[in-house]
Amino acid sequence: MRRPAALAPGLLDDLAARVVSTGSGEVSVTEVFTGTELTRLPLSTPSNVASAVERARDAQARWAATPVRARARVFARFHRLLLDRREHIADLIQAETGKARAHAFAEASEPVLTTGHYLGAAPDLLRPRRRRGMVPLAVGVTERRLPKGVVAVISPWNYPFALSVSDAVPALLAGNAVLVKPDLLTPLSPLYGARLLAEAGLPEGLMQVVLGDGPVLGASLVETADYVAFTGSTGTGREIGRHTGDRLVGCSLELGGKNAMIVLDDARLGAAVAAAVESAFTNAGQLCMHIERLYVQDRVFEEFRDRFVAATRALRLGARYGWGYDVGSLISPRRLAEVGAHVEDARAKGARVLTGGRPRPDVSPSCYEPTVLAGVEPGMECFDKETFGPVVALYRFGSDDEAVTAANATAYGLNAAVFGADRRRARRVAARLRAGTVNVNDGHMAAYGSMDAPMGGLGLSGLGRRHGAEGLLKYTEAQSLAVQRVRVLQPPSFLSPERHAEVVAASLRLLRALRVR
Ligand code: NAD
């Protein structure tokens, strides 16, 4: 297979040099399309993490003293670079994840949206705000936003570029330094993100990448960082929550999902089918917000099912750089085995495979066909556990209440979708769904791409939010700076304590009356 220019040895060597490492260990990075080695990168050791944190603290102290508008200038340049280098970025993403070009392109675009949004929003979100003082005029209070310090961004393999860069950008804008630990399967595009930030003029030491095994290197990072922004599985999220809890530092945990889409009987079926295909099979279903449960109302069930199965069957599988096909590969042979095991378990327990249900080694070593299941029931692995692959189960429902109950019957709560032509009815149903993001007449992108609104999970899907005000303010500590302009809070010498207590009580009554008004 002809490799694109982004994968030329010169660039790969530059990326290798960006890993904070003095150890002798190496990791082999695989080109997913072929299963062959792409390059080798040095591994970091726990002592490399310690020295990176030290360097980050130094750089962060100067960065925090830099005005927000000056910090923003770096990100205005970064925004331009992200757009100029989008082809390189998509090449690297495709090489290490095996996703289709369109999905790599969507991923490359995500940090453009995030950076653009926070460039506009950060100066206002971070500016000191006057708050009402305890005693009007006599006490002045300012709420300030202080950076946390050194933020660890621990990211998964499914969106390695977006989930490392986009979480780093608001943290950096807020005045922090960032240490990124990508997954060992996908270090190239996060390293390229660090290179672009350096090119944009981000001072040295503020964005460093360490590479290593999650439970060892990730853990040493969690032991030292002032805040941890983690995206990954619910199991690891729990572990990180325990450690940060012990240390009393904050964390955000963006975890898994078992996301439902409801198709009401007045939905425009063409649009609903297209969105269901997109949201079930984007990145071969390795998207935290993707749809794994599809509930369709009685009256339109057969027609929707037939059209959805036909559209799924028509998806073109491929494993090459460049456009011209719809779905790429799973990330690894291990993931292929896990996805296949979910389908085989369902099949063995009585579920029907309406289309798909087999690996496609003729396309690439880890390719699996987009799969639609019917008759999935409790007791089957894929009924309530996240499959995280191109597998979706179809269910039928009668009333809107029934759909809401079924969609909410999950310990997760990341994303959900409702399709219906009567938008008021669809919105009513949507508002009853327990998920951090809910889309009406779209599968996932409407909510995820709306950077001004928070995104995150309920229940086993995690804690904290990215995007919106919370996506930046989580990287700060609020400080209330109160100035007593006139000495009113201590009893004056000419009043007895009893008289002072009466004056205080009368003042509290007056304050309440003023505030009500
Ligand atoms: P994972 O938890 O195995 O790994 C994620 C990251 O954590 C990797 O960098 C890994 O090396 C590191 N890690 C592993 N153990 C660690 C430990 N003990 N301490 C510190 N770091 C550790 O997750 P994964 O399998 O790579 O990712 C897939 C999961 O991520 C899915 O469940 C998916 O739904 C979820 N996800 C969620 C979102 C979201 O925004 N909610 C987005 C993408 C993926």
Side-chain angles (χ1 to χ4, degrees), residues 163-243:
L163 295 175
S164 50
V165 171
S166 290
D167 281 355
V169 165
L172 289 164
L173 267 168
N176 298 282
V178 170
L179 256 63
V180 174
K181 197 211 79 59
D183 193 282
L184 277 182
L185 293 172
T186 54
L188 296 177
S189 61
L191 283 163
Y192 193 67
R195 174 184 154 126
L196 290 185
L197 278 164
E199 237 179 289
L202 187 74
E204 223 178 289
L206 286 176
M207 169 78 166
Q208 301 176 67
V209 179
V210 291
L211 278 192
D213 176 49
V216 178
L217 199 83
S220 63
L221 203 50
V222 172
E223 288 306 325
T224 40
D226 303 315
Y227 186 86
V228 179
F230 170 77
T231 308
S233 62
T234 298
T236 310
R238 275 207 173 102
E239 183 101 346
I240 287 175
R242 267 195 295 272
H243 284 293

Side-chain angles (χ1 to χ4, degrees), residues 28-341:
S28 167
V29 184
T30 302
E31 182 182 52
V32 174
F33 292 146
T34 58
T36 58
E37 183 172 282
L38 199 54
T39 189
R40 298 180 82 76
L41 296 177
L43 287 172
S44 316
T45 61
S47 77
N48 291 148
V49 170
S51 53
V53 169
E54 213 170 289
R55 199 141 65 94
R57 288 204 191 290
D58 257 18
Q60 191 268 333
R62 289 186 293 278
W63 184 240
T66 307
V68 179
R69 290 198 184 276
R71 289 181 216 152
R73 281 197 285 279
V74 172
F75 291 90
R77 289 192 290 273
F78 182 57
H79 187 268
R80 282 196 293 278
L81 282 171
L82 285 170
L83 285 168
D84 293 348
R85 306 284 173 81
R86 61 191 185 280
E87 297 291 345
H88 265 39
I89 297 168
D91 288 338
L92 289 166
I93 292 171
Q94 277 202 288
E96 61 188 358
T97 66
K99 64 182 67 172
R101 189 72 175 176
H103 303 150
F105 221 79
E107 178 174 355
S109 307
E110 202 264 4
V112 181
L113 278 175
T114 315
T115 307
H117 169 70
Y118 284 119
L119 265 174
D124 183 51
L125 287 170
L126 294 170
R127 81 178 158 76
R129 286 188 148 66
R130 284 243 175 97
R131 297 296 180 201
R132 193 158 39 203
M134 183 180 173
V135 180
L137 302 177
V139 177
V141 182
T142 310
E143 179 188 326
R144 302 173 70 226
R145 288 284 164 180
L146 312 180
K148 293 268 185 188
V150 176
V151 171
V153 172
I154 300 180
S155 54
W157 46 261
N158 62 334
Y159 281 78
F161 185 69
L163 295 175
S164 50
V165 171
S166 290
D167 281 355
V169 165
L172 289 164
L173 267 168
N176 298 282
V178 170
L179 256 63
V180 174
K181 197 211 79 59
D183 193 282
L184 277 182
L185 293 172
T186 54
L188 296 177
S189 61
L191 283 163
Y192 193 67
R195 174 184 154 126
L196 290 185
L197 278 164
E199 237 179 289
L202 187 74
E204 223 178 289
L206 286 176
M207 169 78 166
Q208 301 176 67
V209 179
V210 291
L211 278 192
D213 176 49
V216 178
L217 199 83
S220 63
L221 203 50
V222 172
E223 288 306 325
T224 40
D226 303 315
Y227 186 86
V228 179
F230 170 77
T231 308
S233 62
T234 298
T236 310
R238 275 207 173 102
E239 183 101 346
I240 287 175
R242 267 195 295 272
H243 284 293
T244 50
D246 254 9
R247 294 187 51 228
L248 294 180
V249 302
C251 66
S252 57
L253 306 172
E254 300 285 352
L255 311 177
K258 189 73 190 173
N259 310 305
M261 176 186 282
I262 295 172
V263 180
L264 299 171
D265 55 8
D266 66 341
R268 293 195 174 84
L269 291 194
V273 165
V277 167
E278 171 70 16
S279 286
F281 305 123
T282 284
N283 193 22
Q286 302 164 112
L287 166 71
C288 55
M289 297 178 82
H290 92 126
I291 300 296
E292 296 199 355
R293 300 180 291 144
L294 197 37
Y295 298 94
V296 185
Q297 202 151 18
D298 270 339
R299 195 167 63 78
V300 293
F301 182 82
E302 273 85 13
E303 186 184 349
F304 179 91
R305 178 196 59 203
D306 294 348
R307 289 171 72 170
F308 180 61
V309 168
T312 302
R313 212 168 270 147
L315 289 169
R316 296 162 302 169
L317 293 177
R320 58 178 185 277
Y321 302 95
W323 306 83
Y325 62 97
D326 307 304
V327 179
S329 173
L330 291 171
I331 184 84
S332 63
R334 180 174 152 198
R335 197 83 277 283
L336 178 73
E338 286 164 355
V339 170

